[in-house]
Amino acid sequence: MTNAICARALTKYYGKIRGIVGLNLEVMEGDFYGFIGPNGAGKSTAIRTLLGLIRPDSGRAEIFGMDIAANREQILAQTGYLPSETAFYFGRKVQDILQLSANLRRRDCRRTAKELCERLRLDPGRKIEELSYGNRKKAGIVCALQHNPRLCILDEPTGGLDPLAQREFFSILKERNRQGATIFLSSHVLSEIERHCSQAAILREGTVIASGTVAELSRTSARRVTLAGNFTGDNNIGCFQDFIRDYQQEEGRISFLYSGDINRLLQVLTCFSLRDLTISEPNLEEIFLHYYANAHSMEGEVQNDSDLS
């Protein structure tokens, strides 16, 4: 299996403002890959740099073994890109925009465009300025997918889509993935990554702090501990503050992520008047919070940083 995307020490600043810093990323051909991070983490900068739309300050990257600077046109010919914000010429109908996109690629995409519009319930006869935000996003999706690209790079693609459109969108992506396309999905909606992606990377302040399969990322020592009972000032777990994240307390209930020695915790809990105790594996959102809180100590724990060949 070959690399669809491989980046090493990729760095981009906007003056003194950080974009991405020393970004290392490896996506194998055929992956359904999630790129996770909150707004401002550097996801869009990373994507635009990989596509050659902006120049990196340092580092290097390849897509399908081609250098992103020297082979930009060849890379873009095999790539479908959906930006986080879609913008089109006003005064044009959707079908005109789709045809323009196809013409730029010198491809006849009418059959696939028609099928995608039907599946996403997008009226190609409507003018762009008449469309809602969600329908403009659908037009962007069709532009990105109608030429059957080898690599689909989708930046926050579900913003504005209703639940039915989201479900159909992911059905389309899974079909493309089964046919061999590599899907690279940037999102801050962790449930999307958990539900649809097999591989993922977590981005923090422009740097990948963990990457691997979703199952590997979920294999953390942290556990979600939920206590129900009568809690007083004398019964507290302050001695474990270095091992606790995402602490939540409401009347008669305490919940937190715990990464310390579970036996020590259980010994301390014997002094509590408990009605119930639950210890479970955290979901991906909780994993994400755990990685962010422990970024420096966990950096590189899951990453596979093999060199570019």
Side-chain angles (χ1 to χ4, degrees), residues 255-279:
S255 179
F256 52 86
L257 283 177
Y258 179 71
S259 57
D261 184 339
I262 198 69
N263 293 301
R264 285 190 58 212
L265 177 65
L266 291 174
Q267 289 174 1
V268 170
L269 292 182
T270 58
C271 67
F272 283 70
S273 176
L274 297 178
R275 295 193 308 274
D276 194 15
L277 164 65
T278 302
I279 301 176

Side-chain angles (χ1 to χ4, degrees), residues 16-28:
K16 295 183 179 180
I17 300 174
R18 184 266 307 155
I20 51 175
V21 183
L23 184 131
N24 295 316
L25 186 67
E26 188 171 297
V27 179
M28 303 304 289

Side-chain angles (χ1 to χ4, degrees), residues 38-250:
N39 293 330
K43 301 188 300 297
S44 294
T45 296
I47 286 172
R48 291 168 186 158
T49 305
L50 288 170
L51 289 171
L53 302 178
I54 55 177
R55 289 182 176 272
D57 296 326
S58 60
R60 61 196 184 106
E62 297 174 353
I63 291 182
F64 297 125
M66 296 180 287
D67 182 81
I68 59 172
N71 306 104
R72 188 178 71 163
E73 289 187 10
Q74 295 95 314
I75 289 170
L76 292 177
Q78 302 179 60
T79 304
Y81 169 51
L82 176 69
S84 56
E85 297 292 334
T86 50
F88 300 105
Y89 296 115
F90 279 14
R92 299 282 190 95
K93 294 181 179 179
V94 172
Q95 59 196 17
D96 299 328
I97 297 296
L98 300 181
Q99 187 60 54
L100 173 62
S101 178
N103 290 343
L104 289 172
R105 296 181 178 277
R106 299 181 177 88
R107 300 280 296 274
D108 183 356
C109 304
R110 286 174 293 181
R111 181 176 178 180
T112 304
K114 182 175 183 294
E115 177 191 346
L116 290 171
C117 285
E118 289 175 351
R119 293 184 65 173
L120 293 171
R121 298 183 180 180
L122 174 65
D123 182 357
R126 295 279 300 279
K127 287 188 176 181
I128 290 296
E129 60 266 32
E130 297 173 351
L131 299 182
S132 65
Y133 174 67
N135 280 324
R136 290 185 195 178
K137 183 61 70 76
K138 292 177 186 179
I141 290 170
V142 178
C143 283
L145 300 181
Q146 65 176 347
H147 61 291
N148 294 309
R150 186 177 172 191
L151 170 64
C152 303
I153 296 183
L154 311 161
D155 192 2
E156 303 284 359
T158 58
L161 297 183
D162 62 67
L164 289 176
Q166 288 185 29
R167 184 171 64 179
E168 189 61 34
F169 168 66
F170 280 109
S171 294
I172 293 168
L173 291 188
K174 288 179 179 179
E175 290 170 14
R176 296 295 181 90
N177 185 238
R178 285 194 294 269
Q179 293 165 5
T182 303
I183 310 297
F184 186 80
L185 177 72
S186 161
S187 181
H188 63 266
V189 182
L190 298 175
S191 60
E192 291 182 350
I193 304 299
E194 189 169 34
R195 190 178 305 119
H196 302 291
C197 298
S198 57
Q199 308 277 334
I202 297 175
L203 195 67
R204 179 180 184 268
E205 296 180 357
T207 301
V208 172
I209 59 172
S211 63
T213 68
V214 171
E216 286 171 339
L217 292 174
S218 299
R219 282 202 294 268
T220 173
S221 60
R223 293 292 180 267
R224 167 62 63 183
V225 178
T226 304
L227 312 173
N230 180 27
F231 305 109
T232 67
D234 294 332
N235 293 332
N236 64 72
I237 52 177
C239 59
F240 294 111
Q241 62 183 356
D242 291 338
F243 305 100
I244 288 176
R245 299 290 183 272
D246 192 30
Y247 183 89
Q248 303 169 25
Q249 182 170 1
E250 55 189 44

